[in-house]
């Protein structure tokens, strides 16, 4: 709520003036509305061109990887303060030979990470030595790649300039499966964080699909109205992200919209968010290499909120939209980049957001207003009589 302080919300709930469910959302919005440029740390400008991907390790939440057009891969230690220089890197030209579109830590071991590139390859890296361990040649440009956050299998799903989603098996070093998913390019992919074998894909055909790779047919459903032949987006889907409970899937498109879908009822989105100006024309697939976006979500372990908060790089401005996933309302807009923002990464439990953009900067954000011990106790009391909300 604009203009409502955190203290007044907590006081109102403690005095019984605000309902528990209402106070949960108000406190959440109030806390996240204080996101601003971090005052204690700044990441050095280590790239010479646009940044396309960021990844924070899921083990310690301590290290962030960045990569992009200059083909270098930079590793920063987030426990440092002041100006943070990369602690290790892969020099430009020494690994990939074209734009690196995606980087991701292995979910159960921060000694390994993977990357995808327009040079047709997915590479696996030793994070300690920053050396290549293996690679897969997909014979076409690769736009996205994801490893399962569950760690239940060793498959990397790759979305590329092909109708097929390719599943790369780290154990065998071979392709395990190919899913004929889209009419043209399979632009974006994401694994369910709950069901290790459920995979979502978005293509340049505007179709958003769900797959169970254990089944012979694999295809589970399409999102959108199949009876009216309505696709999930009017144009390419350039970003996908499951919520941490696996119940919702967020899709971003070149039609300047982000949509939140319930995986149990995929016919219509539950929330729609405008990510560009209303008079902006939908973008086509002619600029695929620079138009993928990486969104970020808060997690259930953050402790700062009962509301899932989504961070969306805007497709037509230099802003990051901070959005309540439940309502679709924009909590605040973050503006510090000098060119379009391409990726966002949330640091769980630390209240920090990191964003990368076409200006070659990685920007650190933090919440200015945090709860002291008295406020935290009041907040706990404020939420204690609230029943779990299945719609959040």
């Amino acid at each position: 709520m604009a203009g409502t302080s955190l203290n007044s919300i907590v006081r109102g709930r403690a005095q019984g003036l605000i309902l528990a469910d209402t106070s949960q959302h108000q406190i959440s919005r109030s806390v996240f509305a204080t996101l601003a440029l971090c005052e204690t740390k700044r990441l050095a400008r280590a790239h010479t061109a646009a940044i396309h991907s960021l990844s924070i390790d899921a083990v310690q939440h301590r290290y962030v990887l960045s990569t992009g057009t200059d083909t270098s891969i930079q590793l920063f230690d987030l426990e440092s303060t002041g100006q943070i220089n990369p602690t290790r890197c892969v020099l430009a030209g020494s690994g990939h030979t074209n734009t690196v579109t995606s980087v991701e830590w292995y979910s159960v071991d921060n000694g390994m990470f993977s990357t995808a590139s327009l040079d047709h390859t997915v590479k696996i890296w030793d994070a300690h030595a920053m050396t290549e361990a293996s690679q897969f040649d997909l014979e076409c440009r690769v736009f996205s790649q994801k490893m399962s956050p569950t760690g239940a299998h060793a498959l990397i799903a790759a979305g590329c300039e092909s109708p097929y989603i390719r599943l790369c098996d780290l154990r065998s070093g071979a392709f395990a499966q190919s899913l004929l998913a889209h009419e043209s390019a399979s632009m974006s992919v994401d694994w369910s964080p709950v069901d290790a074998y459920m995979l979502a894909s978005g293509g340049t055909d505007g179709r958003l699909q769900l797959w169970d790779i254990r089944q012979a047919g694999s295809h589970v459903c399409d999102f959108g109205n199949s009876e009216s032949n309505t696709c999930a987006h009017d144009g390419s889907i350039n970003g996908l992200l499951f919520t941490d409970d696996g119940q919702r899937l967020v899709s971003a498109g070149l039609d300047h919209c982000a949509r939140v879908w319930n995986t149990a009822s995929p016919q219509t989105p539950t929330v729609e968010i405008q990510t560009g100006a209303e008079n902006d024309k939908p973008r086509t697939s002619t600029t695929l290499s620079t138009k993928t976006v990486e969104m970020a979500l808060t997690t259930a372990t953050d402790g700062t909120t009962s509301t899932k908060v989504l961070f969306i790089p805007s497709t037509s401005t230099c802003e990051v939209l901070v959005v309540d996933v439940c309502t679709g309302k924009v909590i605040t807009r973050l503006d510090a980049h000098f060119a379009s923002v391409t990726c966002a990464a949330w640091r769980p439990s630390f209240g920090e957001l990191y964003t990368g953009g076409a200006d070659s900067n990685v920007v650190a954000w933090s919440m200015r207003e945090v709860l002291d011990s008295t406020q935290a106790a009041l907040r706990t009391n404020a939420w204690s009589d609230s029943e779990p909300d299945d719609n959040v």
Side-chain angles (χ1 to χ4, degrees):
M1 290 179 58
T4 304
S5 72
L6 182 59
N7 286 331
S8 65
I9 295 170
V10 174
R11 276 199 308 272
R13 175 53 192 154
Q15 295 167 4
L17 302 177
I18 301 176
L19 295 176
D21 286 342
T22 302
S23 67
Q24 289 182 34
H25 292 287
Q26 287 183 346
I27 290 173
S28 298
R29 289 194 292 267
S30 180
V31 169
F32 281 96
T34 68
L35 270 169
L37 287 173
C38 186
E39 296 180 341
T40 59
K41 64 181 70 175
R42 182 174 67 87
L43 275 64
R45 190 173 184 177
H47 292 276
T48 59
I51 295 169
H52 290 287
S53 184
L54 295 172
S55 181
I56 295 175
D57 80 278
V59 179
Q60 296 176 282
H61 306 139
R62 174 175 176 175
Y63 301 104
V64 62
L65 291 162
S66 63
T67 192
T69 301
D70 67 2
T71 74
S72 74
I73 306 168
Q74 308 290 337
L75 187 152
F76 297 89
D77 184 347
L78 300 180
E79 286 196 353
S80 303
T81 56
Q83 175 163 304
I84 305 175
N85 294 307
T87 57
R88 294 192 289 275
C89 73
V90 175
L91 296 174
S94 63
H96 288 288
T97 59
N98 203 336
T99 297
V100 186
T101 54
S102 172
V103 63
E104 186 175 36
W105 286 101
Y106 186 37
S107 62
V108 296
D109 181 1
N110 60 9
M112 183 177 77
F113 64 89
S114 59
T115 54
S117 170
L118 300 185
D119 67 6
H120 301 185
T121 66
V122 169
K123 293 181 184 287
I124 315 303
W125 301 85
D126 180 327
H128 301 295
M130 296 298 277
T131 55
E132 181 183 328
S134 62
Q135 80 166 34
F136 297 85
D137 188 353
L138 280 73
E139 300 181 343
C140 62
R141 298 193 297 174
V142 189
F143 302 121
S144 62
Q145 54 90 28
K146 285 286 186 176
M147 290 187 277
S148 173
T150 67
H153 56 70
L155 298 176
I156 297 177
C160 55
E161 198 173 30
S162 159
Y164 291 90
I165 299 168
R166 307 295 297 277
L167 301 183
C168 312
D169 191 338
L170 295 178
R171 293 194 177 100
S172 67
F175 295 106
Q177 199 173 348
S178 294
L179 306 174
L180 180 55
H182 298 280
E183 294 178 5
S184 50
S186 301
M187 199 169 182
S188 51
V189 292
D190 197 31
W191 292 99
S192 167
V194 176
D195 188 332
Y197 300 95
M198 297 296 286
L199 175 70
S201 70
T204 55
D205 54 8
R207 293 180 67 190
L208 174 59
Q209 302 183 78
L210 194 63
W211 307 85
D212 184 342
I213 63 169
R214 295 167 297 188
Q215 299 179 8
S218 296
H219 183 263
V220 176
C221 68
D222 272 64
F223 291 81
N225 193 327
S226 58
E227 293 183 0
S228 61
N229 200 30
T230 303
C231 291
H233 283 269
D234 181 18
S236 298
I237 296 174
N238 63 339
L240 289 179
L241 188 62
F242 275 100
T243 55
D244 61 353
D245 57 11
Q247 296 179 7
R248 288 170 175 77
L249 177 63
V250 184
S251 61
L254 297 185
D255 55 2
H256 306 296
C257 280
R259 296 185 171 98
V260 182
W261 306 83
N262 189 320
T263 55
S265 53
Q267 292 80 16
T268 56
T270 59
V271 169
E272 183 168 312
I273 305 139
Q274 190 78 21
T275 60
E278 291 185 4
N279 58 354
D280 283 347
K281 295 180 180 179
R283 293 170 178 168
T284 66
S285 60
T286 56
T287 51
L288 278 173
S289 63
T290 59
K291 299 307 177 187
T292 54
V293 296
E294 290 183 357
M295 299 173 286
L297 273 163
T298 56
T299 70
T301 60
D302 283 322
T304 57
T305 175
S306 66
T307 302
K308 293 180 178 67
V309 176
L310 174 67
F311 305 98
I312 311 174
S314 175
T315 56
S316 61
T317 69
C318 304
E319 298 176 325
V320 179
L321 306 183
V322 183
V323 179
D324 183 335
V325 172
C326 180
T327 65
K329 292 182 179 179
V330 176
I331 298 169
T332 188
R333 297 171 183 264
L334 307 178
D335 185 3
H337 287 275
F338 300 104
S340 60
V341 187
T342 56
C343 49
W346 177 252
R347 190 184 183 198
S349 304
F350 289 86
E352 294 175 355
L353 176 72
Y354 293 84
T355 57
D359 57 2
S360 73
N361 288 314
V362 178
V363 176
W365 308 84
S366 62
M367 292 184 287
R368 293 284 179 86
E369 189 169 8
V370 290
L371 299 175
D372 61 28
S373 57
T374 302
Q375 292 171 330
L378 287 171
R379 185 195 65 181
T380 301
N381 179 64
W383 295 356
S384 61
D385 59 349
S386 171
E387 294 296 323
D389 185 356
D390 293 335
N391 295 320
V392 175

